[in-house]
Amino acid sequence: MRFAPTIAACGLACLLAGGDLVSTAHAQEQMAVGASDQDHALLERVERHLDAISLLKARFRQTAPDGKQSTGTAWIDRTNRRMRFQYDPPSPLLLVANHDQVVFNDSQLDQTTTMPMDKTPLGLLLRPHLQLSGDVTVTGLTHEGNVLEITVVRTDSPGDGSMTLIFHDSPLLLRGWIIQDAQQETTRVDLLDASTGGSMPPDSLFSTDLPEQH
């Protein structure tokens, strides 16, 4: 199910958008990315860094394809494969991922949409151990100054969209990501004041029991 394009500032709808317009051939054209020994070492370093993140809390700034920005608070629990994006008022948007589902709610439109977690690029981020090989294909890798960006797709279904992980180097820190949908539109999320570890938030924070779509 696709989100209506009229949802305010596209919201996390753009983060969830998949589609079948990106061909597998296009992804395979770029599969040589990460083939050098230096690239392999860099990707392994990123894997170790992500493995060390079990729980992350941060303020976030989201930039939609039309340039509109919104802010909020994010909780990412990679151990239990769940997350919550709570938007600041007056935004009506809320995203919760849990129980292998991603649930997006727009209270203003009284609309809730649910998608399988494994059909969204965000599902990759929630893997307790994200291997940048095998069923994940690295299609882009740039390392300029203290900024490292790694673009990945699902090897068997690149049409689900791509995700570019953004890191600050020295020390290596996850700073956000960019999701690109099948129409080449991008939504960027920047993590601000991120902290890792700490006590686990209550399970109710990740409840997917949101209003049903009318």
Side-chain angles (χ1 to χ4, degrees):
M1 179 181 299
R2 282 194 170 275
F3 294 110
T6 55
I7 291 179
C10 188
L12 280 186
C14 298
L15 296 187
L16 302 179
D20 55 7
L21 302 183
V22 178
S23 69
T24 302
H26 175 71
Q28 290 177 340
E29 287 174 2
Q30 305 181 66
M31 287 182 68
V33 173
S36 72
D37 290 342
Q38 183 177 3
D39 287 349
H40 276 301
L42 187 57
L43 294 178
E44 289 176 358
R45 183 173 166 228
V46 167
E47 289 177 348
R48 290 194 299 270
H49 172 67
L50 293 175
D51 280 351
I53 300 175
S54 56
L55 180 66
L56 181 147
K57 180 180 179 182
R59 294 287 297 165
F60 71 85
R61 179 178 61 246
Q62 176 183 304
T63 305
D66 61 4
K68 292 183 179 179
Q69 293 190 339
S70 52
T71 59
T73 302
W75 294 263
I76 301 175
D77 176 8
R78 297 183 67 249
T79 300
N80 297 297
R81 297 195 70 203
R82 56 189 189 177
M83 68 166 56
R84 179 185 180 96
F85 275 69
Q86 180 75 56
Y87 286 76
D88 293 333
S91 172
L93 307 179
L94 172 67
L95 179 141
V96 179
N98 200 357
H99 306 303
D100 296 322
Q101 293 184 325
V102 180
V103 181
F104 178 82
N105 178 252
D106 186 325
S107 59
Q108 181 175 325
L109 297 180
D110 194 21
Q111 176 177 307
T112 298
T113 306
T114 301
M115 293 185 66
M117 189 182 296
D118 287 339
K119 294 296 291 182
T120 73
L122 281 178
L124 296 174
L125 185 63
L126 288 178
R127 288 186 178 183
H129 177 55
L130 175 58
Q131 288 187 300
L132 301 175
S133 59
D135 68 342
V136 174
T137 295
V138 176
T139 62
L141 191 159
T142 62
H143 193 190
E144 298 180 0
N146 268 339
V147 178
L148 169 64
E149 297 186 359
I150 298 173
T151 301
V152 298
V153 298
R154 296 179 187 275
T155 303
D156 294 336
S157 56
D160 290 344
S162 69
M163 176 175 64
T164 300
L165 296 170
I166 304 170
F167 299 89
H168 178 274
D169 201 359
S170 300
L172 192 63
L173 296 170
L174 178 64
R175 286 297 179 87
W177 54 84
I178 299 170
I179 300 295
Q180 185 175 68
D181 67 15
Q183 287 72 42
Q184 308 301 306
E185 291 193 328
T186 60
T187 299
R188 177 173 179 137
V189 171
D190 292 294
L191 300 178
L192 313 171
D193 301 322
S195 61
T196 58
S199 58
M200 187 66 65
D203 290 342
S204 59
L205 192 71
F206 303 100
S207 173
T208 55
D209 186 19
L210 301 177
E212 294 184 358
Q213 182 176 350
H214 295 287

